[in-house]
Amino acid sequence: MTGRPIVVVGGGQAGLQAALSLREHGFEGRLDVVCAESEAPYDRPPLSKRFLAGTAGTDDLTLRAPAFLDDRRISLVQDTHAVAVDRADASVALSSGGSLPYDRLILATGSTPRHLPVPGSAHPAVRVLRTVDDATRLRTKLQPGSRVVVIGAGFTGLEVSATARGLGCEVTVVEALDRVIARALSRPVSEHLLRLHRENGVRILFGRQVTALDGVPREAAVEVLLADGTRLPADVVVVGVGVRPETALAETAGLDVADGVVVDEHLRTGDPRIHAIGDCARFPDPAGTGSLRLESVQNATDQGKYVAAFLMGADAPGYTAVPWFWTDQYAAKLQIAGLTTGHDRCETDGDPASGRFSVRCYQGGRLLGVESVNRPADHIKARRELAALRAPAAAAAAAV
Amino acid sequence: MAKITYSRTDGTSDTVDVPVGSTVMRGAVLNGVRGVVGECGGAGQCGTCHVFVDAGDADRVTPLHPLESEVLDTTAVPRRPTSRLGCQIPVGEELDSLEVKLPDYQLPPV
């Protein structure tokens, strides 16, 4: 496994990490990373925050210097799509016309924003945020006084709202459910974020459905039409209604796909020579009985590291990393350790009014996760606590 | 550019040119300096870009922020009076020739 070629499809956090970790583990063969974008691998979280605010530039996003990647003989095949996998021939066909042979293939194809399935959603004032291109173009629309309508009060939508307010825009958020980040956060933290947004002048409409986007194609502005008849005029509409995994390549290769490329506990598809990691992978839940697909930097980097260790023959039990997430909105740093969805009880430690508190979430007495606002020490301790719950034996051994 | 040296306890070190406006963490991670992780990308949230800045250099770097201090309470190698998070130290010309020392590890051993 040290000399034969490995191809990574996807130049995001997961793909880059897999390549870096393969070299760290002593892999010496040819190593290509196929990147759909023209940018070298970059850090996405700032796209909705510092980069969108204009306080960070493209150079600040680069994950590794080109000279360093050259030195490690990690070849970036930029501005190129993998169009097909020939499993019999063990090669990947590229949009450039060439192909790359592989001994092992790592799919790190990421995810793509969902579009709104309503009339008018192709209007040029309607945007999504995923790439540095998206962010660069959106930034020019966020002028003082611009009317911004954000559809979806999830992580991306709220981060964009906070940044847009900081730039002096008028911001309205339209959310179908009854609170912000309803699917991923406990009620106390969700309410805290809502209060922050309201204090900062964001208008949030709950329980509303968007039925259409009405605009003259060549005019800049558009109106967002809601089911209750409300019309919201907007200079720009940002759609943040989640993502779908990029699975087309896996599907056409005949691999099992079910809202993500289905992998086993070693992040391996039904074809033992092909792995899938990061946003695009659906893997067994190490803490439960079902499966998970996660969209986060942590998941991308930890799975990249795992697959490299596994391929290089490290004695690897299944993937068990504890998920964690963060978001920055105004002065609030929110950190989530574990997955708190489905909790039946939560305990708040600290006073939300102070802007510093943690919420511990349980299901049937078992700790699912901890959400911390401006309490980084609680977060890091919670990650260790959750890791110990997952691997009591390993934690006991490490403590000796 | 500012030349910054990252020294490890095994006696090895790397000296890299870090662009003004970047941070001590990014200078290391961009160039693959062993011993700095920067898991959260510079949000000051993970404590894996722990560095030691000699007392003699303390007034060359920006002061410690209370939340940074709280993260330092959780680092894998326990904090010392000279502990900082590399991501919270912006780089300017005045940091040229700065040496930071790296802890033995950034992530708790599992």
Side-chain angles (χ1 to χ4, degrees), chain A residues 26 34 40 42 189 248 273 280 346:
Chain A
V34 181
Y42 61 88
V189 173
R273 297 170 76 173
C280 74
C346 63

Side-chain angles (χ1 to χ4, degrees), chain A residues 327-352:
Chain A
T327 177
D328 289 337
Q329 295 170 32
Y330 312 106
K333 279 182 187 293
L334 165 61
Q335 298 170 287
I336 304 154
L339 297 169
T340 59
T341 308
H343 65 273
D344 51 34
R345 184 170 65 86
C346 63
E347 288 169 2
T348 302
D349 178 14
D351 180 6

Side-chain angles (χ1 to χ4, degrees), chain A residues 60-123:
Chain A
D60 299 310
L61 303 180
T62 312
L63 287 171
R64 290 295 182 281
F68 172 69
L69 295 177
D70 283 350
D71 181 63
R72 296 294 158 105
R73 294 182 300 113
I74 294 172
S75 149
L76 300 180
V77 187
Q78 283 163 254
D79 217 355
T80 302
H81 291 265
V83 293
V85 176
D86 183 336
R87 288 163 58 191
D89 183 51
S91 67
V92 179
L94 304 177
S95 55
S96 57
S99 76
L100 293 169
Y102 65 81
D103 182 61
R104 291 290 186 277
L105 174 64
I106 300 170
L107 300 176
T109 45
S111 57
T112 316
R114 286 181 193 281
H115 288 266
L116 272 185
V118 300
S121 64
H123 189 281

Side-chain angles (χ1 to χ4, degrees), chain B residues 4 6 22-28 51 86-87 89-91 95 98 100:
Chain B
I4 295 184
Y6 303 83
S22 186
T23 65
V24 167
M25 180 279 286
R26 270 190 59 76
V51 300
C87 70
I89 306 177
V91 171
L95 292 194
L98 179 75
V100 298

Side-chain angles (χ1 to χ4, degrees), chain A residues 40-197:
Chain A
Y42 61 88
D43 197 22
R44 285 185 206 278
L47 293 181
S48 51
K49 311 177 189 89
R50 289 179 298 129
F51 185 82
L52 194 60
T55 55
T58 317
D59 287 350
D60 299 310
L61 303 180
T62 312
L63 287 171
R64 290 295 182 281
F68 172 69
L69 295 177
D70 283 350
D71 181 63
R72 296 294 158 105
R73 294 182 300 113
I74 294 172
S75 149
L76 300 180
V77 187
Q78 283 163 254
D79 217 355
T80 302
H81 291 265
V83 293
V85 176
D86 183 336
R87 288 163 58 191
D89 183 51
S91 67
V92 179
L94 304 177
S95 55
S96 57
S99 76
L100 293 169
Y102 65 81
D103 182 61
R104 291 290 186 277
L105 174 64
I106 300 170
L107 300 176
T109 45
S111 57
T112 316
R114 286 181 193 281
H115 288 266
L116 272 185
V118 300
S121 64
H123 189 281
V126 180
R127 308 296 180 82
V128 293
L129 180 53
R130 175 70 187 173
T131 65
V132 71
D133 270 359
D134 294 337
T136 304
R137 288 185 296 111
L138 178 58
R139 189 154 75 172
T140 65
K141 303 288 282 186
L142 302 181
Q143 302 297 330
S146 297
R147 296 162 303 172
V148 180
V149 173
V150 174
I151 300 175
F155 286 106
T156 304
L158 293 185
E159 288 171 0
V160 169
S161 298
T163 303
R165 278 303 296 153
L167 293 168
C169 305
E170 286 175 30
V171 180
T172 303
V173 179
V174 180
E175 167 58 46
L177 300 177
D178 67 346
R179 59 189 183 93
V180 305
I181 317 187
R183 286 194 186 87
L185 287 184
S186 68
R187 202 164 274 279
V189 173
S190 178
E191 282 166 3
H192 182 72
L193 288 183
L194 172 61
R195 200 158 49 238
L196 278 180
H197 280 274

Side-chain angles (χ1 to χ4, degrees), chain A residues 62 65 333 335 356 380 384, chain B residues 26 29-30 43 45 70 74:
Chain A
T62 312
K333 279 182 187 293
Q335 298 170 287
R356 285 168 46 79
I380 293 170
R384 288 178 192 159
Chain B
R26 270 190 59 76
V29 171
L30 258 180
Q45 303 226 1
E70 199 178 312
T74 67

